[in-house]
Amino acid sequence: EFLSITEPIRNVNPYADYLEATCTFVDTAKKSITCQSVICEGNSCDIEEFELPYDMLLVAVGATTNTYGIPGVKEYCHFLKQINDAVKLRTSIGNAFERANLPGLTDAQRKQALTFVVVGAGPTGVEFTAELRDFVEDDVPKFYPHLLPFVRIKLVEASDRVLMMFDEALQAEAIKRLTEAPQKLVEQGLIAKDMTQVLLKVGVKEVRNREIVLSDNSTIPYGLAVWAAGNGPLPLVLNLIKQVPEQG
């Protein structure tokens, strides 16, 4: 739940002033930062810009999702970075099942609507894949038991292993846990034996609306795609680095 991972920043330090704004530029020569704040009154919103001088500057803005310039990622993929991403993702998962539940769809259309593709088999991608699988096995039978056979979860990774930074034994165990379908549900015909697949040594070439093109030119029709392929620096940080003299 969102409230379990968020806390009002004003509770952290009563002696610090907090300004809700976005820093857009750091001027190291003038020792000042430029910020933008969105001010809304009713349905009308304006962007106000202001500058703040500093004596010492601490930059702790985190990172952004790295799309590697791959076409279609920003337009069609969900991300796992901010609270808003989580809200959007949760809503989209529900929408996928509701879409597949509509009358008049073919089995192929239901399967596409319920194909979830996760790109990136690092800790974030693997954990999300596992959580999604748990949701499908534990919660979906309560509401959409007739849709379970159409669900497919595909974890796509460009390298030859998952969880690259961990021990090989943990990597093997992760693949086993992800791909091993509950025998009872398989025997009952509720889920497909290959519901969860881990695709290694294949990257993403392009993301299209409802279709992902892989590096080997094969395609995956999908209903929802999640991009968890790594982090990259924010433009603010890249600009700041340019202004800082090279350290010896």
Side-chain angles (χ1 to χ4, degrees), residues 93-134:
I93 291 173
N95 289 343
F97 281 94
E98 291 299 337
R99 184 168 63 250
N101 194 47
L102 293 175
L105 297 183
T106 64
D107 287 353
Q109 289 172 322
R110 296 188 201 280
K111 186 175 179 181
Q112 176 173 351
L114 295 177
T115 295
F116 302 92
V117 179
V118 183
V119 181
T124 301
V126 168
E127 183 175 358
F128 175 75
T129 301
E131 291 288 345
L132 180 59
R133 177 180 152 146
D134 287 346

Side-chain angles (χ1 to χ4, degrees), residues 147-208:
L147 295 180
L148 275 173
F150 301 104
V151 177
R152 297 293 186 274
I153 303 172
K154 300 179 185 291
L155 179 61
V156 178
E157 170 58 40
S159 68
D160 61 350
R161 64 190 70 182
V162 303
L163 300 175
M164 183 73 74
M165 64 291 297
F166 292 100
D167 182 82
E168 289 186 6
L170 289 176
Q171 296 171 1
E173 183 66 19
I175 291 179
K176 178 183 176 183
R177 294 290 186 93
L178 288 174
T179 57
E180 203 171 52
Q183 192 61 31
K184 184 177 180 181
L185 294 180
V186 173
E187 290 175 353
Q188 293 175 349
L190 292 178
I191 67 172
K193 187 175 182 180
D194 62 344
M195 181 183 75
T196 307
Q197 296 179 323
V198 179
L199 308 178
L200 300 177
K201 294 192 288 188
V202 61
V204 172
K205 188 175 182 180
E206 182 183 356
V207 180
R208 300 170 182 168

Side-chain angles (χ1 to χ4, degrees), residues 25-170:
F25 183 74
V26 177
D27 191 327
T28 58
K30 290 174 57 179
K31 298 191 74 171
S32 71
I33 64 172
T34 302
C35 300
Q36 288 184 345
S37 180
V38 178
I39 308 297
C40 294
E41 293 184 5
N43 294 326
S44 177
C45 294
D46 295 315
I47 297 177
E48 293 190 4
E49 189 171 274
F50 60 90
E51 287 191 16
L52 284 177
Y54 66 83
D55 296 310
M56 298 183 67
L57 179 67
L58 172 64
V59 179
V61 295
T64 186
T65 302
N66 195 342
T67 65
Y68 303 99
I70 296 174
V73 173
K74 289 183 178 180
E75 292 82 1
Y76 301 116
C77 289
H78 288 68
F79 300 115
L80 289 165
K81 183 59 66 177
Q82 307 291 343
I83 290 295
N84 289 340
D85 295 333
V87 174
K88 182 180 178 182
L89 184 53
R90 172 180 282 189
T91 302
S92 295
I93 291 173
N95 289 343
F97 281 94
E98 291 299 337
R99 184 168 63 250
N101 194 47
L102 293 175
L105 297 183
T106 64
D107 287 353
Q109 289 172 322
R110 296 188 201 280
K111 186 175 179 181
Q112 176 173 351
L114 295 177
T115 295
F116 302 92
V117 179
V118 183
V119 181
T124 301
V126 168
E127 183 175 358
F128 175 75
T129 301
E131 291 288 345
L132 180 59
R133 177 180 152 146
D134 287 346
F135 167 73
V136 170
E137 294 175 2
D138 299 336
D139 296 324
V140 172
K142 304 173 187 175
F143 307 105
Y144 311 99
H146 57 293
L147 295 180
L148 275 173
F150 301 104
V151 177
R152 297 293 186 274
I153 303 172
K154 300 179 185 291
L155 179 61
V156 178
E157 170 58 40
S159 68
D160 61 350
R161 64 190 70 182
V162 303
L163 300 175
M164 183 73 74
M165 64 291 297
F166 292 100
D167 182 82
E168 289 186 6
L170 289 176

